[in-house]
PDB file of all heavy atoms in Angstrom:
ATOM      1  N   LEU R   1     -50.507  -5.355  37.928  1.00 96.00           N
ATOM      2  CA  LEU R   1     -50.404  -5.271  39.380  1.00 96.00           C
ATOM      3  C   LEU R   1     -49.302  -4.284  39.730  1.00 96.00           C
ATOM      4  O   LEU R   1     -48.228  -4.298  39.122  1.00 96.00           O
ATOM      5  CB  LEU R   1     -50.074  -6.640  39.977  1.00 96.00           C
ATOM      6  CG  LEU R   1     -51.149  -7.728  39.870  1.00 96.00           C
ATOM      7  CD1 LEU R   1     -50.630  -9.038  40.461  1.00 96.00           C
ATOM      8  CD2 LEU R   1     -52.435  -7.306  40.567  1.00 96.00           C
ATOM      9  N   VAL R   2     -49.567  -3.433  40.709  1.00 96.00           N
ATOM     10  CA  VAL R   2     -48.599  -2.413  41.143  1.00 96.00           C
ATOM     11  C   VAL R   2     -47.997  -2.850  42.470  1.00 96.00           C
ATOM     12  O   VAL R   2     -48.718  -3.152  43.429  1.00 96.00           O
ATOM     13  CB  VAL R   2     -49.269  -1.034  41.285  1.00 96.00           C
ATOM     14  CG1 VAL R   2     -48.256  -0.005  41.770  1.00 96.00           C
ATOM     15  CG2 VAL R   2     -49.879  -0.600  39.955  1.00 96.00           C
ATOM     16  N   PHE R   3     -46.666  -2.896  42.525  1.00 97.00           N
ATOM     17  CA  PHE R   3     -45.945  -3.256  43.740  1.00 97.00           C
ATOM     18  C   PHE R   3     -45.125  -2.042  44.196  1.00 97.00           C
ATOM     19  O   PHE R   3     -44.185  -1.639  43.509  1.00 97.00           O
ATOM     20  CB  PHE R   3     -44.997  -4.439  43.480  1.00 97.00           C
ATOM     21  CG  PHE R   3     -45.686  -5.689  43.037  1.00 97.00           C
ATOM     22  CD1 PHE R   3     -45.963  -5.909  41.692  1.00 97.00           C
ATOM     23  CD2 PHE R   3     -46.049  -6.660  43.954  1.00 97.00           C
ATOM     24  CE1 PHE R   3     -46.589  -7.068  41.276  1.00 97.00           C
ATOM     25  CE2 PHE R   3     -46.682  -7.829  43.541  1.00 97.00           C
ATOM     26  CZ  PHE R   3     -46.958  -8.029  42.199  1.00 97.00           C
ATOM     27  N   LYS R   4     -45.485  -1.476  45.324  1.00 97.00           N
ATOM     28  CA  LYS R   4     -44.733  -0.329  45.825  1.00 97.00           C
ATOM     29  C   LYS R   4     -43.524  -0.824  46.616  1.00 97.00           C
ATOM     30  O   LYS R   4     -43.652  -1.689  47.487  1.00 97.00           O
ATOM     31  CB  LYS R   4     -45.632   0.555  46.681  1.00 97.00           C
ATOM     32  CG  LYS R   4     -46.786   1.151  45.877  1.00 97.00           C
ATOM     33  CD  LYS R   4     -47.631   2.112  46.689  1.00 97.00           C
ATOM     34  CE  LYS R   4     -48.722   2.725  45.819  1.00 97.00           C
ATOM     35  NZ  LYS R   4     -49.538   3.711  46.564  1.00 97.00           N
ATOM     36  N   ALA R   5     -42.346  -0.288  46.283  1.00 97.00           N
ATOM     37  CA  ALA R   5     -41.099  -0.780  46.870  1.00 97.00           C
ATOM     38  C   ALA R   5     -40.348   0.337  47.592  1.00 97.00           C
ATOM     39  O   ALA R   5     -40.455   1.514  47.234  1.00 97.00           O
ATOM     40  CB  ALA R   5     -40.215  -1.382  45.782  1.00 97.00           C
ATOM     41  N   VAL R   6     -39.585  -0.081  48.598  1.00 98.00           N
ATOM     42  CA  VAL R   6     -38.758   0.853  49.369  1.00 98.00           C
ATOM     43  C   VAL R   6     -37.335   0.310  49.393  1.00 98.00           C
ATOM     44  O   VAL R   6     -37.101  -0.828  49.828  1.00 98.00           O
ATOM     45  CB  VAL R   6     -39.294   1.020  50.809  1.00 98.00           C
ATOM     46  CG1 VAL R   6     -38.401   1.993  51.589  1.00 98.00           C
ATOM     47  CG2 VAL R   6     -40.734   1.523  50.788  1.00 98.00           C
ATOM     48  N   GLN R   7     -36.391   1.104  48.930  1.00 97.00           N
ATOM     49  CA  GLN R   7     -34.984   0.712  48.831  1.00 97.00           C
ATOM     50  C   GLN R   7     -34.168   1.482  49.870  1.00 97.00           C
ATOM     51  O   GLN R   7     -34.235   2.710  49.941  1.00 97.00           O
ATOM     52  CB  GLN R   7     -34.461   1.019  47.425  1.00 97.00           C
ATOM     53  CG  GLN R   7     -33.036   0.611  47.152  1.00 97.00           C
ATOM     54  CD  GLN R   7     -32.631   0.911  45.714  1.00 97.00           C
ATOM     55  OE1 GLN R   7     -33.335   1.606  44.989  1.00 97.00           O
ATOM     56  NE2 GLN R   7     -31.494   0.389  45.302  1.00 97.00           N
ATOM     57  N   THR R   8     -33.399   0.746  50.682  1.00 98.00           N
ATOM     58  CA  THR R   8     -32.597   1.373  51.735  1.00 98.00           C
ATOM     59  C   THR R   8     -31.114   1.144  51.466  1.00 98.00           C
ATOM     60  O   THR R   8     -30.700   0.027  51.125  1.00 98.00           O
ATOM     61  CB  THR R   8     -32.969   0.804  53.119  1.00 98.00           C
ATOM     62  OG1 THR R   8     -34.368   0.996  53.345  1.00 98.00           O
ATOM     63  CG2 THR R   8     -32.185   1.502  54.220  1.00 98.00           C
ATOM     64  N   TYR R   9     -30.329   2.206  51.644  1.00 98.00           N
ATOM     65  CA  TYR R   9     -28.884   2.149  51.417  1.00 98.00           C
ATOM     66  C   TYR R   9     -28.122   2.053  52.735  1.00 98.00           C
ATOM     67  O   TYR R   9     -28.667   2.320  53.818  1.00 98.00           O
ATOM     68  CB  TYR R   9     -28.429   3.389  50.641  1.00 98.00           C
ATOM     69  CG  TYR R   9     -28.838   3.375  49.179  1.00 98.00           C
ATOM     70  CD1 TYR R   9     -30.044   3.932  48.769  1.00 98.00           C
ATOM     71  CD2 TYR R   9     -28.019   2.807  48.205  1.00 98.00           C
ATOM     72  CE1 TYR R   9     -30.424   3.923  47.433  1.00 98.00           C
ATOM     73  CE2 TYR R   9     -28.385   2.789  46.870  1.00 98.00           C
ATOM     74  CZ  TYR R   9     -29.586   3.354  46.489  1.00 98.00           C
ATOM     75  OH  TYR R   9     -29.952   3.334  45.172  1.00 98.00           O
ATOM     76  N   SER R  10     -26.855   1.689  52.611  1.00 97.00           N
ATOM     77  CA  SER R  10     -26.005   1.524  53.791  1.00 97.00           C
ATOM     78  C   SER R  10     -25.766   2.838  54.525  1.00 97.00           C
ATOM     79  O   SER R  10     -25.406   2.831  55.707  1.00 97.00           O
ATOM     80  CB  SER R  10     -24.663   0.901  53.386  1.00 97.00           C
ATOM     81  OG  SER R  10     -24.021   1.693  52.387  1.00 97.00           O
ATOM     82  N   ASN R  11     -25.947   3.976  53.850  1.00 96.00           N
ATOM     83  CA  ASN R  11     -25.795   5.284  54.507  1.00 96.00           C
ATOM     84  C   ASN R  11     -27.115   5.785  55.087  1.00 96.00           C
ATOM     85  O   ASN R  11     -27.258   6.965  55.398  1.00 96.00           O
ATOM     86  CB  ASN R  11     -25.228   6.307  53.534  1.00 96.00           C
ATOM     87  CG  ASN R  11     -26.122   6.516  52.315  1.00 96.00           C
ATOM     88  OD1 ASN R  11     -27.198   5.905  52.205  1.00 96.00           O
ATOM     89  ND2 ASN R  11     -25.685   7.367  51.403  1.00 96.00           N
ATOM     90  N   LYS R  12     -28.107   4.866  55.211  1.00 96.00           N
ATOM     91  CA  LYS R  12     -29.430   5.134  55.787  1.00 96.00           C
ATOM     92  C   LYS R  12     -30.354   5.910  54.850  1.00 96.00           C
ATOM     93  O   LYS R  12     -31.480   6.261  55.234  1.00 96.00           O
ATOM     94  CB  LYS R  12     -29.312   5.904  57.120  1.00 96.00           C
ATOM     95  CG  LYS R  12     -28.391   5.250  58.143  1.00 96.00           C
ATOM     96  CD  LYS R  12     -28.799   3.811  58.435  1.00 96.00           C
ATOM     97  CE  LYS R  12     -27.858   3.176  59.459  1.00 96.00           C
ATOM     98  NZ  LYS R  12     -28.189   1.734  59.683  1.00 96.00           N
ATOM     99  N   GLU R  13     -29.935   6.178  53.626  1.00 96.00           N
ATOM    100  CA  GLU R  13     -30.810   6.847  52.674  1.00 96.00           C
ATOM    101  C   GLU R  13     -31.919   5.883  52.250  1.00 96.00           C
ATOM    102  O   GLU R  13     -31.682   4.688  52.048  1.00 96.00           O
ATOM    103  CB  GLU R  13     -30.024   7.300  51.445  1.00 96.00           C
ATOM    104  CG  GLU R  13     -30.893   7.983  50.397  1.00 96.00           C
ATOM    105  CD  GLU R  13     -30.135   8.301  49.118  1.00 96.00           C
ATOM    106  OE1 GLU R  13     -28.940   7.953  49.032  1.00 96.00           O
ATOM    107  OE2 GLU R  13     -30.747   8.881  48.208  1.00 96.00           O
ATOM    108  N   VAL R  14     -33.127   6.418  52.108  1.00 97.00           N
ATOM    109  CA  VAL R  14     -34.277   5.601  51.721  1.00 97.00           C
ATOM    110  C   VAL R  14     -34.912   6.188  50.461  1.00 97.00           C
ATOM    111  O   VAL R  14     -35.181   7.392  50.395  1.00 97.00           O
ATOM    112  CB  VAL R  14     -35.328   5.557  52.857  1.00 97.00           C
ATOM    113  CG1 VAL R  14     -36.570   4.786  52.390  1.00 97.00           C
ATOM    114  CG2 VAL R  14     -34.745   4.895  54.096  1.00 97.00           C
ATOM    115  N   VAL R  15     -35.116   5.343  49.468  1.00 96.00           N
ATOM    116  CA  VAL R  15     -35.777   5.757  48.228  1.00 96.00           C
ATOM    117  C   VAL R  15     -37.085   4.978  48.122  1.00 96.00           C
ATOM    118  O   VAL R  15     -37.089   3.745  48.158  1.00 96.00           O
ATOM    119  CB  VAL R  15     -34.902   5.481  46.993  1.00 96.00           C
ATOM    120  CG1 VAL R  15     -35.612   5.945  45.728  1.00 96.00           C
ATOM    121  CG2 VAL R  15     -33.555   6.181  47.128  1.00 96.00           C
ATOM    122  N   ARG R  16     -38.193   5.697  47.979  1.00 96.00           N
ATOM    123  CA  ARG R  16     -39.514   5.081  47.942  1.00 96.00           C
ATOM    124  C   ARG R  16     -40.022   5.042  46.502  1.00 96.00           C
ATOM    125  O   ARG R  16     -40.374   6.074  45.926  1.00 96.00           O
ATOM    126  CB  ARG R  16     -40.486   5.863  48.836  1.00 96.00           C
ATOM    127  CG  ARG R  16     -40.015   5.957  50.283  1.00 96.00           C
ATOM    128  CD  ARG R  16     -40.993   6.711  51.160  1.00 96.00           C
ATOM    129  NE  ARG R  16     -40.465   6.875  52.495  1.00 96.00           N
ATOM    130  CZ  ARG R  16     -40.525   5.946  53.453  1.00 96.00           C
ATOM    131  NH1 ARG R  16     -41.130   4.782  53.196  1.00 96.00           N
ATOM    132  NH2 ARG R  16     -40.009   6.170  54.641  1.00 96.00           N
ATOM    133  N   TRP R  17     -40.044   3.845  45.949  1.00 97.00           N
ATOM    134  CA  TRP R  17     -40.550   3.639  44.589  1.00 97.00           C
ATOM    135  C   TRP R  17     -42.043   3.341  44.686  1.00 97.00           C
ATOM    136  O   TRP R  17     -42.482   2.191  44.594  1.00 97.00           O
ATOM    137  CB  TRP R  17     -39.804   2.487  43.916  1.00 97.00           C
ATOM    138  CG  TRP R  17     -38.319   2.698  43.872  1.00 97.00           C
ATOM    139  CD1 TRP R  17     -37.402   2.223  44.761  1.00 97.00           C
ATOM    140  CD2 TRP R  17     -37.586   3.440  42.904  1.00 97.00           C
ATOM    141  NE1 TRP R  17     -36.143   2.622  44.408  1.00 97.00           N
ATOM    142  CE2 TRP R  17     -36.224   3.379  43.262  1.00 97.00           C
ATOM    143  CE3 TRP R  17     -37.944   4.145  41.762  1.00 97.00           C
ATOM    144  CZ2 TRP R  17     -35.227   4.001  42.530  1.00 97.00           C
ATOM    145  CZ3 TRP R  17     -36.953   4.762  41.024  1.00 97.00           C
ATOM    146  CH2 TRP R  17     -35.609   4.685  41.412  1.00 97.00           C
ATOM    147  N   ILE R  18     -42.844   4.398  44.860  1.00 96.00           N
ATOM    148  CA  ILE R  18     -44.260   4.207  45.185  1.00 96.00           C
ATOM    149  C   ILE R  18     -45.196   5.033  44.306  1.00 96.00           C
ATOM    150  O   ILE R  18     -46.420   4.917  44.435  1.00 96.00           O
ATOM    151  CB  ILE R  18     -44.532   4.559  46.657  1.00 96.00           C
ATOM    152  CG1 ILE R  18     -44.176   6.019  46.936  1.00 96.00           C
ATOM    153  CG2 ILE R  18     -43.728   3.635  47.585  1.00 96.00           C
ATOM    154  CD1 ILE R  18     -44.544   6.488  48.324  1.00 96.00           C
ATOM    155  N   GLU R  19     -44.669   5.834  43.402  1.00 93.00           N
ATOM    156  CA  GLU R  19     -45.523   6.693  42.581  1.00 93.00           C
ATOM    157  C   GLU R  19     -46.145   5.893  41.435  1.00 93.00           C
ATOM    158  O   GLU R  19     -45.445   5.188  40.712  1.00 93.00           O
ATOM    159  CB  GLU R  19     -44.731   7.868  42.013  1.00 93.00           C
ATOM    160  CG  GLU R  19     -44.194   8.819  43.074  1.00 93.00           C
ATOM    161  CD  GLU R  19     -43.452   9.986  42.454  1.00 93.00           C
ATOM    162  OE1 GLU R  19     -44.096  11.008  42.153  1.00 93.00           O
ATOM    163  OE2 GLU R  19     -42.226   9.856  42.252  1.00 93.00           O
ATOM    164  N   GLU R  20     -47.451   6.028  41.277  1.00 90.00           N
ATOM    165  CA  GLU R  20     -48.157   5.318  40.207  1.00 90.00           C
ATOM    166  C   GLU R  20     -48.266   6.198  38.966  1.00 90.00           C
ATOM    167  O   GLU R  20     -48.487   7.397  39.060  1.00 90.00           O
ATOM    168  CB  GLU R  20     -49.547   4.895  40.683  1.00 90.00           C
ATOM    169  CG  GLU R  20     -49.508   3.889  41.835  1.00 90.00           C
ATOM    170  CD  GLU R  20     -50.871   3.322  42.158  1.00 90.00           C
ATOM    171  OE1 GLU R  20     -51.631   3.048  41.202  1.00 90.00           O
ATOM    172  OE2 GLU R  20     -51.182   3.157  43.352  1.00 90.00           O
ATOM    173  N   GLN R  21     -48.101   5.571  37.822  1.00 82.00           N
ATOM    174  CA  GLN R  21     -48.187   6.276  36.548  1.00 82.00           C
ATOM    175  C   GLN R  21     -49.620   6.732  36.290  1.00 82.00           C
ATOM    176  O   GLN R  21     -50.556   5.942  36.379  1.00 82.00           O
ATOM    177  CB  GLN R  21     -47.728   5.359  35.411  1.00 82.00           C
ATOM    178  CG  GLN R  21     -47.849   5.962  34.033  1.00 82.00           C
ATOM    179  CD  GLN R  21     -46.840   7.066  33.780  1.00 82.00           C
ATOM    180  OE1 GLN R  21     -45.653   6.870  33.995  1.00 82.00           O
ATOM    181  NE2 GLN R  21     -47.321   8.205  33.340  1.00 82.00           N
ATOM    182  N   GLN R  22     -49.774   8.022  35.990  1.00 81.00           N
ATOM    183  CA  GLN R  22     -51.085   8.575  35.662  1.00 81.00           C
ATOM    184  C   GLN R  22     -51.227   8.676  34.154  1.00 81.00           C
ATOM    185  O   GLN R  22     -50.294   9.104  33.466  1.00 81.00           O
ATOM    186  CB  GLN R  22     -51.256   9.952  36.314  1.00 81.00           C
ATOM    187  CG  GLN R  22     -51.118   9.954  37.830  1.00 81.00           C
ATOM    188  CD  GLN R  22     -52.149   9.073  38.517  1.00 81.00           C
ATOM    189  OE1 GLN R  22     -53.298   9.020  38.107  1.00 81.00           O
ATOM    190  NE2 GLN R  22     -51.718   8.359  39.558  1.00 81.00           N
ATOM    191  N   GLU R  23     -52.377   8.275  33.654  1.00 79.00           N
ATOM    192  CA  GLU R  23     -52.610   8.270  32.212  1.00 79.00           C
ATOM    193  C   GLU R  23     -52.472   9.676  31.630  1.00 79.00           C
ATOM    194  O   GLU R  23     -53.015  10.646  32.162  1.00 79.00           O
ATOM    195  CB  GLU R  23     -54.006   7.728  31.909  1.00 79.00           C
ATOM    196  CG  GLU R  23     -54.278   7.536  30.424  1.00 79.00           C
ATOM    197  CD  GLU R  23     -55.618   6.900  30.154  1.00 79.00           C
ATOM    198  OE1 GLU R  23     -56.309   6.539  31.132  1.00 79.00           O
ATOM    199  OE2 GLU R  23     -55.971   6.751  28.970  1.00 79.00           O
ATOM    200  N   GLY R  24     -51.710   9.764  30.534  1.00 79.00           N
ATOM    201  CA  GLY R  24     -51.534  11.034  29.851  1.00 79.00           C
ATOM    202  C   GLY R  24     -50.478  11.931  30.458  1.00 79.00           C
ATOM    203  O   GLY R  24     -50.244  13.043  29.966  1.00 79.00           O
ATOM    204  N   GLN R  25     -49.801  11.459  31.498  1.00 81.00           N
ATOM    205  CA  GLN R  25     -48.763  12.256  32.149  1.00 81.00           C
ATOM    206  C   GLN R  25     -47.405  11.597  32.001  1.00 81.00           C
ATOM    207  O   GLN R  25     -47.300  10.411  31.683  1.00 81.00           O
ATOM    208  CB  GLN R  25     -49.093  12.465  33.631  1.00 81.00           C
ATOM    209  CG  GLN R  25     -50.378  13.241  33.875  1.00 81.00           C
ATOM    210  CD  GLN R  25     -50.607  13.536  35.350  1.00 81.00           C
ATOM    211  OE1 GLN R  25     -49.708  13.371  36.170  1.00 81.00           O
ATOM    212  NE2 GLN R  25     -51.811  13.959  35.683  1.00 81.00           N
ATOM    213  N   GLU R  26     -46.358  12.400  32.243  1.00 85.00           N
ATOM    214  CA  GLU R  26     -44.999  11.878  32.152  1.00 85.00           C
ATOM    215  C   GLU R  26     -44.736  10.882  33.278  1.00 85.00           C
ATOM    216  O   GLU R  26     -45.404  10.899  34.315  1.00 85.00           O
ATOM    217  CB  GLU R  26     -43.986  13.021  32.216  1.00 85.00           C
ATOM    218  CG  GLU R  26     -44.037  13.973  31.027  1.00 85.00           C
ATOM    219  CD  GLU R  26     -42.967  15.042  31.123  1.00 85.00           C
ATOM    220  OE1 GLU R  26     -42.220  15.057  32.126  1.00 85.00           O
ATOM    221  OE2 GLU R  26     -42.874  15.856  30.190  1.00 85.00           O
ATOM    222  N   GLU R  27     -43.756  10.035  33.059  1.00 83.00           N
ATOM    223  CA  GLU R  27     -43.402   9.054  34.071  1.00 83.00           C
ATOM    224  C   GLU R  27     -42.927   9.766  35.334  1.00 83.00           C
ATOM    225  O   GLU R  27     -42.124  10.695  35.271  1.00 83.00           O
ATOM    226  CB  GLU R  27     -42.291   8.134  33.546  1.00 83.00           C
ATOM    227  CG  GLU R  27     -41.944   7.018  34.511  1.00 83.00           C
ATOM    228  CD  GLU R  27     -40.809   6.150  33.986  1.00 83.00           C
ATOM    229  OE1 GLU R  27     -39.833   6.710  33.463  1.00 83.00           O
ATOM    230  OE2 GLU R  27     -40.904   4.921  34.091  1.00 83.00           O
ATOM    231  N   PRO R  28     -43.406   9.340  36.498  1.00 86.00           N
ATOM    232  CA  PRO R  28     -42.971   9.983  37.749  1.00 86.00           C
ATOM    233  C   PRO R  28     -41.499   9.729  38.029  1.00 86.00           C
ATOM    234  O   PRO R  28     -40.881   8.829  37.448  1.00 86.00           O
ATOM    235  CB  PRO R  28     -43.875   9.332  38.807  1.00 86.00           C
ATOM    236  CG  PRO R  28     -44.320   8.048  38.204  1.00 86.00           C
ATOM    237  CD  PRO R  28     -44.408   8.285  36.732  1.00 86.00           C
ATOM    238  N   GLU R  29     -40.950  10.484  38.917  1.00 91.00           N
ATOM    239  CA  GLU R  29     -39.520  10.391  39.226  1.00 91.00           C
ATOM    240  C   GLU R  29     -39.170   9.069  39.904  1.00 91.00           C
ATOM    241  O   GLU R  29     -38.121   8.481  39.642  1.00 91.00           O
ATOM    242  CB  GLU R  29     -39.103  11.559  40.124  1.00 91.00           C
ATOM    243  CG  GLU R  29     -37.622  11.607  40.415  1.00 91.00           C
ATOM    244  CD  GLU R  29     -37.218  12.813  41.240  1.00 91.00           C
ATOM    245  OE1 GLU R  29     -38.076  13.679  41.478  1.00 91.00           O
ATOM    246  OE2 GLU R  29     -36.039  12.883  41.637  1.00 91.00           O
ATOM    247  N   THR R  30     -40.046   8.599  40.792  1.00 93.00           N
ATOM    248  CA  THR R  30     -39.798   7.328  41.483  1.00 93.00           C
ATOM    249  C   THR R  30     -41.010   6.414  41.291  1.00 93.00           C
ATOM    250  O   THR R  30     -41.819   6.218  42.207  1.00 93.00           O
ATOM    251  CB  THR R  30     -39.547   7.562  42.987  1.00 93.00           C
ATOM    252  OG1 THR R  30     -40.639   8.339  43.532  1.00 93.00           O
ATOM    253  CG2 THR R  30     -38.242   8.303  43.202  1.00 93.00           C
ATOM    254  N   PRO R  31     -41.147   5.838  40.080  1.00 94.00           N
ATOM    255  CA  PRO R  31     -42.323   5.017  39.778  1.00 94.00           C
ATOM    256  C   PRO R  31     -42.318   3.684  40.522  1.00 94.00           C
ATOM    257  O   PRO R  31     -41.263   3.104  40.770  1.00 94.00           O
ATOM    258  CB  PRO R  31     -42.214   4.800  38.272  1.00 94.00           C
ATOM    259  CG  PRO R  31     -40.745   4.880  37.999  1.00 94.00           C
ATOM    260  CD  PRO R  31     -40.219   5.915  38.938  1.00 94.00           C
ATOM    261  N   ALA R  32     -43.506   3.209  40.846  1.00 95.00           N
ATOM    262  CA  ALA R  32     -43.644   1.904  41.473  1.00 95.00           C
ATOM    263  C   ALA R  32     -43.492   0.810  40.418  1.00 95.00           C
ATOM    264  O   ALA R  32     -43.888   0.999  39.267  1.00 95.00           O
ATOM    265  CB  ALA R  32     -45.007   1.791  42.151  1.00 95.00           C
ATOM    266  N   PRO R  33     -42.911  -0.326  40.763  1.00 96.00           N
ATOM    267  CA  PRO R  33     -42.812  -1.439  39.813  1.00 96.00           C
ATOM    268  C   PRO R  33     -44.206  -1.920  39.406  1.00 96.00           C
ATOM    269  O   PRO R  33     -45.098  -2.060  40.248  1.00 96.00           O
ATOM    270  CB  PRO R  33     -42.065  -2.513  40.607  1.00 96.00           C
ATOM    271  CG  PRO R  33     -41.340  -1.770  41.688  1.00 96.00           C
ATOM    272  CD  PRO R  33     -42.216  -0.621  42.031  1.00 96.00           C
ATOM    273  N   VAL R  34     -44.379  -2.182  38.106  1.00 95.00           N
ATOM    274  CA  VAL R  34     -45.676  -2.608  37.568  1.00 95.00           C
ATOM    275  C   VAL R  34     -45.498  -3.916  36.813  1.00 95.00           C
ATOM    276  O   VAL R  34     -44.642  -4.017  35.930  1.00 95.00           O
ATOM    277  CB  VAL R  34     -46.281  -1.536  36.640  1.00 95.00           C
ATOM    278  CG1 VAL R  34     -47.590  -2.044  36.034  1.00 95.00           C
ATOM    279  CG2 VAL R  34     -46.511  -0.232  37.392  1.00 95.00           C
ATOM    280  N   LEU R  35     -46.322  -4.909  37.153  1.00 95.00           N
ATOM    281  CA  LEU R  35     -46.309  -6.202  36.465  1.00 95.00           C
ATOM    282  C   LEU R  35     -47.479  -6.243  35.492  1.00 95.00           C
ATOM    283  O   LEU R  35     -48.640  -6.198  35.895  1.00 95.00           O
ATOM    284  CB  LEU R  35     -46.419  -7.342  37.473  1.00 95.00           C
ATOM    285  CG  LEU R  35     -46.506  -8.755  36.876  1.00 95.00           C
ATOM    286  CD1 LEU R  35     -45.221  -9.124  36.159  1.00 95.00           C
ATOM    287  CD2 LEU R  35     -46.834  -9.772  37.966  1.00 95.00           C
ATOM    288  N   GLU R  36     -47.164  -6.331  34.195  1.00 95.00           N
ATOM    289  CA  GLU R  36     -48.199  -6.424  33.170  1.00 95.00           C
ATOM    290  C   GLU R  36     -48.667  -7.875  33.058  1.00 95.00           C
ATOM    291  O   GLU R  36     -47.854  -8.796  33.006  1.00 95.00           O
ATOM    292  CB  GLU R  36     -47.666  -5.946  31.818  1.00 95.00           C
ATOM    293  CG  GLU R  36     -47.184  -4.497  31.813  1.00 95.00           C
ATOM    294  CD  GLU R  36     -48.312  -3.498  31.979  1.00 95.00           C
ATOM    295  OE1 GLU R  36     -49.482  -3.893  31.743  1.00 95.00           O
ATOM    296  OE2 GLU R  36     -48.044  -2.332  32.337  1.00 95.00           O
ATOM    297  N   LEU R  37     -49.984  -8.065  33.033  1.00 95.00           N
ATOM    298  CA  LEU R  37     -50.553  -9.410  32.971  1.00 95.00           C
ATOM    299  C   LEU R  37     -50.982  -9.745  31.548  1.00 95.00           C
ATOM    300  O   LEU R  37     -51.607  -8.927  30.866  1.00 95.00           O
ATOM    301  CB  LEU R  37     -51.753  -9.524  33.910  1.00 95.00           C
ATOM    302  CG  LEU R  37     -51.480  -9.230  35.392  1.00 95.00           C
ATOM    303  CD1 LEU R  37     -52.746  -9.424  36.207  1.00 95.00           C
ATOM    304  CD2 LEU R  37     -50.356 -10.105  35.932  1.00 95.00           C
ATOM    305  N   ALA R  38     -50.659 -10.957  31.119  1.00 94.00           N
ATOM    306  CA  ALA R  38     -51.030 -11.421  29.787  1.00 94.00           C
ATOM    307  C   ALA R  38     -52.411 -12.065  29.828  1.00 94.00           C
ATOM    308  O   ALA R  38     -52.971 -12.306  30.899  1.00 94.00           O
ATOM    309  CB  ALA R  38     -49.997 -12.414  29.271  1.00 94.00           C
ATOM    310  N   ALA R  39     -52.954 -12.331  28.644  1.00 93.00           N
ATOM    311  CA  ALA R  39     -54.260 -12.983  28.559  1.00 93.00           C
ATOM    312  C   ALA R  39     -54.203 -14.358  29.198  1.00 93.00           C
ATOM    313  O   ALA R  39     -53.142 -14.998  29.261  1.00 93.00           O
ATOM    314  CB  ALA R  39     -54.684 -13.090  27.096  1.00 93.00           C
ATOM    315  N   ALA R  40     -55.335 -14.811  29.686  1.00 87.00           N
ATOM    316  CA  ALA R  40     -55.400 -16.130  30.316  1.00 87.00           C
ATOM    317  C   ALA R  40     -54.945 -17.207  29.344  1.00 87.00           C
ATOM    318  O   ALA R  40     -55.157 -17.101  28.135  1.00 87.00           O
ATOM    319  CB  ALA R  40     -56.817 -16.403  30.794  1.00 87.00           C
ATOM    320  N   GLU R  41     -54.333 -18.250  29.863  1.00 75.00           N
ATOM    321  CA  GLU R  41     -53.790 -19.314  29.024  1.00 75.00           C
ATOM    322  C   GLU R  41     -54.855 -19.944  28.149  1.00 75.00           C
ATOM    323  O   GLU R  41     -54.611 -20.319  27.011  1.00 75.00           O
ATOM    324  CB  GLU R  41     -53.133 -20.393  29.901  1.00 75.00           C
ATOM    325  CG  GLU R  41     -51.875 -19.937  30.626  1.00 75.00           C
ATOM    326  CD  GLU R  41     -50.729 -19.679  29.681  1.00 75.00           C
ATOM    327  OE1 GLU R  41     -50.780 -20.179  28.540  1.00 75.00           O
ATOM    328  OE2 GLU R  41     -49.785 -18.990  30.072  1.00 75.00           O
ATOM    329  N   GLY R  42     -56.094 -20.084  28.638  1.00 67.00           N
ATOM    330  CA  GLY R  42     -57.167 -20.678  27.866  1.00 67.00           C
ATOM    331  C   GLY R  42     -57.483 -19.883  26.625  1.00 67.00           C
ATOM    332  O   GLY R  42     -57.830 -20.423  25.576  1.00 67.00           O
ATOM    333  N   ASP R  43     -57.350 -18.542  26.712  1.00 50.00           N
ATOM    334  CA  ASP R  43     -57.614 -17.682  25.565  1.00 50.00           C
ATOM    335  C   ASP R  43     -56.550 -17.865  24.500  1.00 50.00           C
ATOM    336  O   ASP R  43     -56.816 -17.801  23.306  1.00 50.00           O
ATOM    337  CB  ASP R  43     -57.657 -16.215  25.999  1.00 50.00           C
ATOM    338  CG  ASP R  43     -58.819 -15.954  26.943  1.00 50.00           C
ATOM    339  OD1 ASP R  43     -59.747 -16.780  26.960  1.00 50.00           O
ATOM    340  OD2 ASP R  43     -58.786 -14.938  27.658  1.00 50.00           O
ATOM    341  N   ALA R  44     -55.339 -18.096  24.921  1.00 42.00           N
ATOM    342  CA  ALA R  44     -54.227 -18.173  23.972  1.00 42.00           C
ATOM    343  C   ALA R  44     -54.111 -19.553  23.341  1.00 42.00           C
ATOM    344  O   ALA R  44     -53.631 -19.701  22.233  1.00 42.00           O
ATOM    345  CB  ALA R  44     -52.920 -17.817  24.680  1.00 42.00           C
TER     346      ALA R  44
END
């Protein structure tokens, strides 16, 4: 699951962590947080 995040600083600066990783490419400068999902409990 991809969660796009926006971080705001006290000096009003805003950093947008919204870039999605593209297969075969380098990691983007401001990547979006990604939650890796494990196999269903029944399978394990």
